[in-house]
Amino acid sequence: MSQHLLTVDSLSRESVDHLLRVAARMEPIASRRQVTRVLEGAVLGNLFFEASTRTRVSFNAAFCRLGGSVCDTTGFTFSSMAKGESLYDTSRVMSGYCDAIVMRHPDQGSVAEFAAATHVPVINGGDGPGEHPSQALLDLYTIDKEFQRLGKRLSGAHILLTGDLKYGRTVHSLIKLLSLYDPLRITLVSPPGLEMPSYLIDLVASRGHRIEQRDSLASDFADLDVVYTTRIQKERFTDEMNESFQGLSDDFMVNRDFLDKRCSQSTIVMHPLPRDSRPGANDLNVDLNGDPRLAIFRQTDNGIPMRMAIFATLLKVDDLIEKDLRPV
Ligand code: CP
């Protein structure tokens, strides 16, 4: 694994498998059945210049669970970037204060620009419509755990990615990560104008996966293993798109009816969250709440052990955990 985690492109199949193993080892520490202070004295800079609940809080909790402490900055208003400070200067300053930095920023490429000026590991917590590599890793970890529970294998699995595939950075990172594995069947369904970028479709096809685009969910998905749906990222729309977008039609709605009629009893439903609960949003219906196929909250729980694994690996303490275990 390279010094930073900015994009899934820097991960090999071996490094991903290592992170999956370390995350599994972190489970009892993430749930405080075991305790380690392996990062005692270390400081995380958690810089979020765009809204977040899960990523910000779970990176914070993951660092604390390893014994470290966290300095948070939320929003441009409370950072000196509001006074015109550059990414370069911010990065040089923060890397003097911290041992690792997580950053979310609305501009694609900004986290990489920030990382270029620092000597401490930087994790991309989401850069505009670019990537969200830690989310993809926890998503893959979730698929792996769910498949183990269901007695399924990733090889040959059928995975549906639906919703806003153009601006949804989680699906950009996830499809690249999945493409590192044995051949899969991947189906893409998105409203017109919000299709998966063609360079990603070409990449996945070039790695031997079967990839298909459909224009709605109104067809049979009986052999589907995973539905991964995403919110429409209206905050990234142009004014023209915002004026013309009428909301998601029923053809794109993931709800109990879709799951019962079109899928199977072993199809799991994932979503990076947040799901949009405002009228007309429809990315993931609440009528699935309580259905065991809905994996979204198991998925969010998996964020802690995976983010602990990312810190432990980047800060090179993954081999020290066993020796550092302490009584609860
Ligand atoms: N999945 C995700 O990135 O959620 P947040 O925006 O709440 O961090």
Side-chain angles (χ1 to χ4, degrees):
M1 199 160 155
S2 66
Q3 185 200 352
H4 306 297
L5 178 59
L6 303 174
T7 160
V8 161
D9 294 338
S10 68
L11 297 171
S12 63
R13 165 83 183 260
E14 291 69 32
S15 60
V16 177
D17 286 342
H18 174 79
L19 287 167
L20 295 176
R21 279 195 300 277
V22 178
R25 175 64 195 90
M26 294 295 182
E27 292 267 359
I29 308 171
S31 55
R32 242 185 126 257
R33 285 173 285 131
Q34 291 183 334
V35 171
T36 175
R37 307 289 300 165
V38 78
L39 284 185
E40 190 158 29
V43 175
L44 172 70
N46 213 21
L47 311 182
F48 277 73
F49 300 115
E50 199 178 51
S52 170
T53 297
R54 274 145 293 275
T55 312
R56 183 172 57 82
V57 176
S58 64
F59 266 123
N60 188 322
F63 208 76
C64 292
R65 286 280 192 239
L66 291 168
S69 50
V70 182
C71 298
D72 257 319
T73 288
T74 308
F76 287 108
T77 321
F78 297 104
S79 142
S80 281
M81 286 198 200
K83 296 180 256 178
E85 188 164 48
S86 65
L87 279 171
Y88 179 88
D89 285 4
T90 307
S91 173
R92 290 296 298 269
V93 171
M94 288 302 295
S95 57
Y97 299 161
C98 304
D99 300 281
I101 294 170
V102 177
M103 184 162 133
R104 172 172 289 188
H105 194 286
D107 298 335
Q108 187 164 355
S110 54
V111 185
E113 184 184 337
F114 179 93
T118 180
H119 56 266
V120 301
V122 175
I123 300 169
N124 180 2
D127 61 328
E131 278 211 42
H132 194 347
S134 67
Q135 178 72 45
L137 285 161
L138 79 87
D139 291 340
L140 182 66
Y141 183 56
T142 300
I143 293 171
D144 190 46
K145 278 178 72 175
E146 295 288 318
F147 278 18
Q148 282 181 38
R149 181 175 66 79
L150 295 164
K152 292 187 176 189
R153 287 164 48 82
L154 184 59
S155 179
H158 184 187
I159 296 175
L160 166 67
L161 304 178
T162 183
D164 185 346
L165 305 183
K166 178 176 182 177
Y167 294 115
R169 56 195 171 201
T170 68
V171 282
H172 299 168
S173 294
L174 181 59
I175 199 167
K176 285 200 238 180
L177 205 53
L178 288 169
S179 76
L180 295 174
Y181 283 81
D182 295 340
L184 298 166
R185 183 172 167 206
I186 298 176
T187 301
L188 307 173
V189 175
S190 51
L194 297 179
E195 291 87 2
M196 180 69 75
S198 55
Y199 80 92
L200 287 169
I201 296 176
D202 294 344
L203 173 84
V204 171
S206 74
R207 292 183 175 169
H209 302 276
R210 187 172 152 201
I211 188 156
E212 177 194 354
Q213 286 181 283
R214 296 192 203 173
D215 56 11
S216 89
L217 295 178
S219 57
D220 185 44
F221 288 95
D223 64 350
L224 199 62
D225 297 294
V226 180
V227 183
Y228 188 106
T229 181
T230 62
R231 181 177 63 87
I232 302 300
Q233 315 262 312
K234 289 188 79 177
E235 68 274 27
R236 308 207 193 283
F237 282 18
T238 59
D239 290 346
E240 201 176 62
M241 288 172 81
N242 261 315
E243 270 168 34
S244 62
F245 188 70
Q246 300 292 318
L248 274 182
S249 74
D250 290 357
D251 281 354
F252 300 99
M253 197 191 292
V254 176
N255 57 14
R256 187 179 288 275
D257 195 51
F258 169 71
L259 222 59
D260 285 346
K261 290 194 179 143
R262 307 263 181 220
C263 305
S264 80
Q265 280 306 313
S266 70
T267 306
I268 59 160
V269 180
M270 297 175 61
H271 190 305
L273 301 183
R275 56 178 156 173
D276 193 340
S277 59
R278 291 170 291 195
N282 287 345
D283 47 320
L284 178 56
N285 202 291
V286 291
D287 69 358
L288 279 167
N289 287 359
D291 190 309
R293 293 171 291 183
L294 188 72
I296 56 174
F297 298 117
R298 298 191 289 277
Q299 187 181 353
T300 50
D301 287 350
N302 289 333
I304 301 279
M306 177 47 78
R307 289 183 167 124
M308 290 171 73
I310 293 167
F311 284 133
T313 305
L314 284 177
L315 293 169
K316 301 187 189 341
V317 296
D318 43 334
D319 288 339
L320 306 180
I321 302 281
E322 295 305 332
K323 280 185 233 138
D324 190 69
L325 289 175
R326 296 151 194 236
V328 177

